[in-house]
């Protein structure tokens, strides 16, 4: 079963392969992808990181993400070692872990605030 970020990445790869997205052309924005897939910003970021790592997309600071030239993407696929997908998955898992750590810190702060509020009332 594919994770949502993998579905987004594969959908964009297929659009590139089919010619729907042209080399050098802009990829959909994060907001567009979030709406289309009902995904969080972190999920879309993970999908874009995977596309960039695999050579399907490039970032231009201040301008967005763009389709890499087909020969570059095809070379990335052809040269990909059997374990290369593992590196992308590790990176994606690290992003998920970072999000979980942030959520835990937020929850911990909320619990502490509630406890302090309870002490003041008591």
């Amino acid at each position: 079963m594919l994770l949502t970020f993998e579905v987004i990445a594969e959908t964009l790869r297929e659009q590139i392969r089919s010619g729907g997205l042209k080399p050098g052309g802009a990829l959909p924005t994060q907001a567009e992808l979030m709406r289309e897939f009902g995904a969080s910003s972190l999920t879309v970021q993970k999908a874009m990181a995977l596309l960039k790592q695999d050579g399907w997309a490039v970032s231009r600071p201040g301008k967005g993400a763009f389709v890499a030239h087909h020969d570059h993407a095809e070379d990335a696929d052809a040269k990909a070692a059997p374990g290369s997908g593992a590196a992308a998955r590790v990176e994606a898992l690290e992003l998920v872990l970072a999000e979980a750590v942030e959520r835990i810190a937020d929850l911990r702060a909320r619990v502490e605030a509630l406890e302090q509020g309870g002490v003041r009332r008591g």
Side-chain angles (χ1 to χ4, degrees), residues 26-112:
L27 287 167
T29 65
Q30 180 172 319
E32 291 168 337
L33 293 170
M34 287 170 62
R35 273 192 305 275
E36 181 178 344
F37 292 92
S40 70
S41 62
L42 183 63
T43 298
V44 171
Q45 290 170 18
K46 288 188 276 189
M48 294 306 294
L50 184 58
L51 288 173
K52 291 172 193 171
Q53 180 176 333
D54 291 346
W56 288 91
V58 293
S59 287
R60 295 185 189 149
K63 298 194 190 269
F66 296 82
V67 178
H69 292 290
H70 280 291
D71 58 339
H72 179 64
E74 290 167 7
D75 287 347
D77 278 350
K79 292 178 184 175
S84 66
R89 284 184 173 75
V90 166
E91 181 178 342
L93 288 171
E94 287 173 344
L95 288 170
V96 170
L97 179 60
E99 181 183 50
V101 167
E102 287 178 22
R103 286 183 180 174
I104 290 169
D106 181 53
L107 289 171
R108 183 173 287 143
R110 289 180 185 190
V111 167
E112 289 174 2

